[in-house]
Amino acid sequence: MRFARADGTVIGTSAQGRVRRSAEEALLGLLPRFALSGKTVLPLATGGSVAHVLARLRAAPGG
């Protein structure tokens, strides 16, 4: 599996749709328990407007 050999990964999501976000969470749930351990992870979120970006910032840990 290429993912297991990677030093890092980029995880992208849309701030607009709960359905897409749930699908992404389900896909991440398929990874082995410590698949991201020791890896660099870059989370990216896109939004359709400033309101979507602000919603993402409020939902972020520490936000």
Side-chain angles (χ1 to χ4, degrees):
M1 176 187 256
R2 290 181 184 184
F3 184 82
R5 295 189 315 248
D7 293 326
T9 188
V10 176
I11 299 174
T13 187
S14 168
Q16 298 178 51
R18 284 267 186 222
V19 173
R20 279 188 234 138
R21 184 172 175 202
S22 297
E24 290 155 1
E25 289 174 4
L27 288 172
L28 287 174
L30 295 174
L31 294 174
R33 185 171 182 181
F34 296 104
L36 299 176
S37 180
K39 296 187 184 308
T40 300
V41 179
L42 175 63
L44 295 176
T46 61
S49 70
V50 174
H52 290 115
V53 174
L54 292 174
R56 262 310 204 207
L57 290 174
R58 282 194 295 266

